[in-house]
Amino acid sequence: MSSNHQNGAVLGTEFTQNVIDAMGPKTSPRLREVMAALIRHIHDFAREVQLTTDEWMAGVDMINEAGRMSNDKRNEGQLLCDVIGLESLVDDITFTAATNSTSGLTASAVLGPFWRQDTPRRENGATISFDTPPDGQVVYMHGKVTDVATGKPLQNASVDVWQASTNGLYEQQDAGQREHNLRGVFHTDAEGNYSFYCLRPTPYPVPMDGPAGKLLAMMDRQVFRPAHIHLMVLSSNEKEQVQHDGYKSLTTQIFDKECKYLGNDSVFAVKDELTVEFVPRKGDAKAPLELEYNITLAETS
Amino acid sequence: MSSNHQNGAVLGTEFTQNVIDAMGPKTSPRLREVMAALIRHIHDFAREVQLTTDEWMAGVDMINEAGRMSNDKRNEGQLLCDVIGLESLVDDITFTAATNSTSGLTASAVLGPFWRQDTPRRENGATISFDTPPDGQVVYMHGKVTDVATGKPLQNASVDVWQASTNGLYEQQDAGQREHNLRGVFHTDAEGNYSFYCLRPTPYPVPMDGPAGKLLAMMDRQVFRPAHIHLMVLSSNEKEQVQHDGYKSLTTQIFDKECKYLGNDSVFAVKDELTVEFVPRKGDAKAPLELEYNITLAETS
């Protein structure tokens, strides 16, 4: 399939089709579909902007640098995708495909790079803030996990929560926080309720010392993530041998309605239905603020 | 610009436009053009194939792994682009844009990752093969560098040549070859002629131990590059203080017409006009084969 183009002719769609057609018969149908579309769009992009070798090589350098900076504590490849909205988009596509679209269903948002698999289980009503900073505002957060279609409470659903401290750092990024600070896994009770003490979240900038930060600077973009709390909610609780099979797990973030960066999240994760309001709490010496947040799960489609 | 999408609605073109519009006023016009098109095409790709989070994360892992494996001796980010034809495409776009399209102009091909900036100058008629392997066939290669429009010979043009040995390795990949083996820079004489001894090139596989190799395997693709010799030709010779200003430098590869991989180069660099024929050479004890290859350069547009 050597190209038959003439001198001076830019390689066109025939060249692109040749690249796609080079895939062999043992390629899986899904990989063939994904790679064919990727090759077509990347080639169309290069032709559309008449991408030069120097510009392309700058992109290659950026990708290689992202890989070199990535480790178990940061993921620059992911962050590069995040700042162009790609993680939010694939999250939305994936969540939509996995659930029967239902009014009232809690929306998803991106996982981000700071979730940990080994977060300890804590009892309802416990705190996740063990190194509460002087500028931290403690919040009593609680709510109910229910089946979106029937309203039935889901017992023993696990609510995995994680957040940054007021310095903008998650515990694995910050030697000043003890391990597993500001994270915990809670199990809902017989009425589907969970509860814990956490911090009112505060905005923080994405890391600016890597290629994603450099790209943001080149794009003259604001770099802060609006104040948010991460949640991952699973209906099954394997430790307790109680299963709510057939519910789609939810990964999401809830955003402080009053945060000034709500309208220009640097990773485009905000959805209107995920904004929340922290209200004053009376009669609790441990927390001046309260947040009730109810979560609905849908059966998988 | 928080999205107003409803639960279950896949983020659409309004979301994509929001991401593009987040670029600030200090973005350079060219970066804005390139990033806007990249964001649009990447989002369209994700929506078109309904890319899932797991699939996207497999891509992120691949990119991070490419960066981790890249160093001054290999460039996996570049190789990932090469196997989907992107380097060939941007090379063609760039070369075409920089030259007045002229009949008879020597075509360009991709640089690849093995060129070295510090290759020594050698005298015309010298060899570049210092560790000739038993299965190597020596070739006397020679030709003339001329102005494509006038036919005028270009004196003191530099002809930078590099090739792999018969084991498929370039000298910087191979402890068994001395430094700068199978590479050299030659300067054309008053008639524009260059000459040297080299090896008849042999096909070799792209490295299969990194993400580009894994991607090729997943795509069920053949992994060999057809037998080729790399050339970089510059009209100016800074060491000699002789300049032929205004000529576009040429980076190209010439391919053995008889190589069985000519039709399915794993990086899509072959162009019909870059295929050459090695012919028997008589009366030269040093080389059983000969290749005459004349090169034309064009003034920059």
Side-chain angles (χ1 to χ4, degrees):
Chain A
M1 54 107 266
S2 72
S3 160
N4 291 310
H5 88 118
Q6 296 304 302
N7 281 338
V10 170
L11 298 174
T13 53
E14 189 193 349
F15 172 77
T16 300
Q17 195 58 48
N18 282 342
V19 175
I20 293 169
D21 290 346
M23 282 188 274
K26 292 177 194 152
T27 318
S28 83
R30 176 59 177 167
L31 186 79
R32 184 185 301 274
E33 179 186 17
V34 170
M35 287 307 300
L38 181 64
I39 290 164
R40 201 179 318 106
H41 278 289
I42 290 285
H43 284 204
D44 284 349
F45 153 68
R47 279 188 287 256
E48 185 178 316
V49 302
Q50 291 282 291
L51 192 69
T52 69
T53 306
D54 287 349
E55 290 167 341
W56 161 74
M57 192 48 89
V60 169
D61 289 345
M62 182 171 277
I63 282 175
N64 284 336
E65 180 65 12
R68 272 191 292 270
M69 289 192 76
S70 294
N71 51 40
D72 59 347
K73 299 209 170 164
R74 69 186 294 180
N75 189 329
E76 277 284 320
Q78 179 172 3
L79 194 57
L80 274 175
C81 295
D82 290 358
V83 302
I84 61 168
L86 184 59
E87 188 181 358
S88 273
L89 180 56
V90 299
D91 171 73
D92 196 69
I93 289 169
T94 307
F95 190 71
T96 302
T99 52
N100 293 307
S101 175
T102 309
S103 171
L105 181 62
T106 302
S108 69
V110 300
L111 177 67
F114 299 114
W115 178 74
R116 286 181 61 164
Q117 196 152 20
D118 59 351
T119 296
R121 176 173 173 183
R122 308 188 195 282
E123 293 305 312
N124 280 315
T127 188
I128 61 170
S129 181
F130 301 97
D131 299 290
T132 304
D135 59 346
Q137 288 184 283
V138 176
V139 175
Y140 178 70
M141 179 169 165
H142 63 102
K144 199 183 275 291
V145 180
T146 58
D147 178 311
V148 68
T150 65
K152 182 181 61 145
L154 297 180
Q155 184 180 4
N156 274 320
S158 71
V159 177
D160 188 341
V161 57
W162 67 106
Q163 64 177 167
S165 189
T166 55
N167 63 1
L169 298 175
Y170 292 81
E171 49 88 15
Q172 69 263 62
Q173 302 175 286
D174 183 4
Q177 293 177 54
R178 74 190 68 181
E179 189 161 28
H180 298 302
N181 187 42
L182 295 175
R183 58 179 79 231
V185 175
F186 299 86
H187 290 177
T188 55
D189 64 18
E191 282 74 47
N193 290 311
Y194 73 88
S195 60
F196 52 80
Y197 290 90
C198 62
L199 294 183
R200 182 177 188 167
T202 42
Y204 61 82
V206 299
M208 290 301 287
D209 59 339
K214 284 175 203 156
L215 181 61
L216 280 175
M218 286 168 71
M219 291 195 291
D220 189 25
R221 290 251 305 265
Q222 90 79 16
V223 301
F224 276 81
R225 297 231 47 223
H228 62 278
I229 297 170
H230 291 271
L231 294 168
M232 184 190 285
V233 185
L234 290 86
S235 64
S236 68
N237 170 8
E238 288 172 14
K239 281 184 190 154
E240 303 280 330
Q241 301 299 315
V242 177
Q243 300 256 342
H244 299 276
D245 287 332
Y247 288 93
K248 171 65 187 160
S249 66
L250 169 73
T251 301
T252 196
Q253 302 175 32
I254 52 177
F255 297 90
D256 187 339
K257 214 167 241 175
E258 292 178 18
C259 180
K260 66 175 174 171
Y261 298 111
L262 199 68
N264 55 358
D265 183 0
S266 55
V267 309
F268 307 98
V270 176
K271 297 172 180 177
D272 289 349
E273 60 270 33
L274 293 172
T275 60
V276 297
E277 211 168 339
F278 295 88
V279 298
R281 175 168 171 87
K282 285 171 188 161
D284 185 346
K286 290 190 274 182
L289 292 171
E290 177 170 337
L291 174 64
E292 181 180 3
Y293 193 70
N294 298 315
I295 294 157
T296 57
L297 298 183
E299 292 190 39
T300 51
S301 54
Chain B
M1 54 106 268
S2 73
S3 160
N4 290 308
H5 88 119
Q6 296 303 302
N7 280 339
V10 170
L11 297 174
T13 54
E14 190 192 347
F15 172 78
T16 299
Q17 194 59 47
N18 282 342
V19 175
I20 292 169
D21 291 345
M23 280 187 275
K26 291 177 194 150
T27 317
S28 83
R30 176 60 177 165
L31 186 79
R32 184 185 300 275
E33 180 187 16
V34 170
M35 288 306 301
L38 181 64
I39 290 164
R40 200 180 320 106
H41 278 289
I42 291 285
H43 285 204
D44 284 349
F45 153 69
R47 279 188 287 257
E48 186 178 317
V49 301
Q50 292 282 291
L51 193 70
T52 69
T53 305
D54 287 349
E55 290 167 341
W56 161 75
M57 191 49 88
V60 169
D61 290 344
M62 183 172 275
I63 282 175
N64 284 335
E65 180 65 11
R68 272 191 293 270
M69 289 192 76
S70 295
N71 52 39
D72 59 346
K73 299 210 170 163
R74 68 186 293 179
N75 190 328
E76 276 285 321
Q78 178 172 3
L79 194 58
L80 273 175
C81 295
D82 290 359
V83 301
I84 61 167
L86 184 58
E87 188 180 0
S88 273
L89 180 56
V90 299
D91 170 73
D92 196 69
I93 289 169
T94 307
F95 189 72
T96 303
T99 52
N100 294 307
S101 175
T102 310
S103 171
L105 181 62
T106 302
S108 69
V110 300
L111 176 66
F114 299 113
W115 179 73
R116 287 181 62 164
Q117 196 150 22
D118 59 352
T119 296
R121 177 172 172 184
R122 307 189 196 281
E123 294 305 313
N124 280 314
T127 189
I128 62 170
S129 182
F130 301 98
D131 300 290
T132 304
D135 58 346
Q137 288 183 282
V138 177
V139 174
Y140 177 71
M141 178 169 166
H142 63 101
K144 198 183 277 288
V145 180
T146 59
D147 177 313
V148 67
T150 65
K152 184 180 61 146
L154 296 179
Q155 185 180 3
N156 276 318
S158 72
V159 177
D160 188 340
V161 57
W162 67 105
Q163 64 178 166
S165 189
T166 54
N167 63 0
L169 298 174
Y170 291 81
E171 48 89 15
Q172 70 264 60
Q173 302 175 287
D174 184 5
Q177 294 178 54
R178 73 190 67 181
E179 188 160 29
H180 298 302
N181 186 43
L182 295 174
R183 56 180 78 231
V185 175
F186 299 85
H187 290 177
T188 55
D189 64 18
E191 284 73 48
N193 290 311
Y194 73 89
S195 59
F196 52 79
Y197 291 89
C198 61
L199 293 182
R200 182 178 187 165
T202 42
Y204 61 83
V206 300
M208 290 301 289
D209 59 338
K214 284 175 203 156
L215 181 61
L216 279 175
M218 286 167 71
M219 291 194 292
D220 189 24
R221 289 249 307 263
Q222 90 78 15
V223 302
F224 276 81
R225 297 234 44 227
H228 62 279
I229 298 171
H230 291 271
L231 295 169
M232 184 191 285
V233 185
L234 291 86
S235 63
S236 66
N237 170 9
E238 288 172 14
K239 281 185 191 152
E240 304 280 331
Q241 301 299 313
V242 177
Q243 300 257 340
H244 299 276
D245 288 332
Y247 287 93
K248 171 64 186 160
S249 66
L250 169 73
T251 301
T252 197
Q253 301 175 32
I254 52 177
F255 298 90
D256 187 339
K257 214 166 242 176
E258 290 176 19
C259 181
K260 64 176 175 172
Y261 298 111
L262 199 69
N264 56 357
D265 183 1
S266 55
V267 310
F268 308 99
V270 176
K271 298 172 179 176
D272 288 348
E273 60 270 35
L274 293 173
T275 59
V276 297
E277 212 169 337
F278 295 88
V279 297
R281 177 170 171 83
K282 286 173 189 160
D284 185 346
K286 290 190 277 184
L289 292 171
E290 177 170 337
L291 174 64
E292 181 179 3
Y293 193 70
N294 298 314
I295 294 158
T296 58
L297 298 183
E299 293 192 38
T300 52
S301 54

